[in-house]
Amino acid sequence: MAWTLITGASEGLGVEFARIAAKESRNVILAARSKDKLEKVADEVRSHGVEAVVIPADLSNMDEVDRLWSDATDGREVDVLVNNAGLGYNGPFEAGQSWERELASINVNMLALTRLMKLAIPHMQALPKGRILNVASVASFTPGPHMATYHATKAYVLSLSEAVAEELRGSTVTITALCPGATATNFFEDADMDGVRLLKLSKPMKAKDVAEAGWLEARIGKRIVVPGAMNKFFAFLPRVSPRSMTTRIAAQIMGKH
């Protein structure tokens, strides 16, 4: 039986993806930094009668990324990869967070995701089919003052996903970029986003609804998925407005009261 590898699987969207996979009787490989949290998710997943493998890994370390893939594919065929792990921070670029945190965000959001894609595609091409679901963000569509690095990394994820999806057109491997907006997870707390105006404008979507939307559309090979009417509006706005205007709007939305 083929396997599903999910990064950032210890909480939020990662847990929901694991639940969806298990309900479809898919075995799962769960990756994140916290082994204790992963074991709890694995116990829940196993209650659906599937296998669950826990692989703790710090994806800001490229050696750990390679080890994760090597361990995940040791005697297993991985035909679904969910690149869900991500880091962000709300604050001024010049002094908002340490360089170490900036670098970790770049490594996790961009380098680890790219490396896993690079390893997964030839692996999946040897199988009957495969799909990669990259969790980007509605932030992919516009620069984001107060979250400049996060927006930039997610723009990279969207661009990479679209480009590689086109390269793979007609093959048995598909690439999907999931671009959610505000979602009810621990991301906001981790990113120090308490008081951000975005959270006042619209109620965050449930993680379950976001994960289901991404999973279902990835199954049919859709390249970009933007769940939620408000998120679709924010994704469309840069197409019809001057870039300077959308950046100024983003600055207001991502700023704090």
Side-chain angles (χ1 to χ4, degrees), residues 38-94:
L38 288 175
E39 291 290 0
K40 291 180 181 179
V41 179
D43 287 342
E44 178 185 341
V45 166
R46 292 180 186 120
S47 69
H48 291 278
V50 301
E51 294 183 59
V53 173
V54 167
I55 304 179
D58 179 0
L59 299 189
S60 67
N61 182 323
M62 291 304 104
D63 290 338
E64 290 279 283
V65 176
D66 284 347
R67 180 186 61 80
L68 166 60
W69 182 257
S70 177
D71 290 351
T73 55
D74 185 11
R76 305 182 190 92
E77 295 179 342
V78 176
D79 68 348
V80 176
L81 167 63
V82 181
N83 274 315
N84 170 66
L87 296 175
Y89 185 83
N90 183 276
F93 178 78
E94 76 279 7

Side-chain angles (χ1 to χ4, degrees), residues 157-209:
V157 172
L158 177 60
S159 179
L160 180 72
S161 299
E162 288 187 278
V164 178
E166 179 60 28
E167 290 183 15
L168 295 174
R169 177 194 290 269
S171 78
T172 58
V173 180
T174 62
I175 312 288
T176 299
L178 173 60
C179 301
T183 306
T185 68
N186 290 334
F187 176 83
F188 297 109
E189 181 179 345
D190 294 339
D192 191 24
M193 293 182 68
D194 184 46
V196 170
R197 293 184 181 91
L198 171 66
L199 303 181
K200 302 292 184 180
L201 291 176
S202 62
K203 184 178 180 181
M205 289 185 65
K206 294 179 180 179
K208 179 176 181 291
D209 294 339

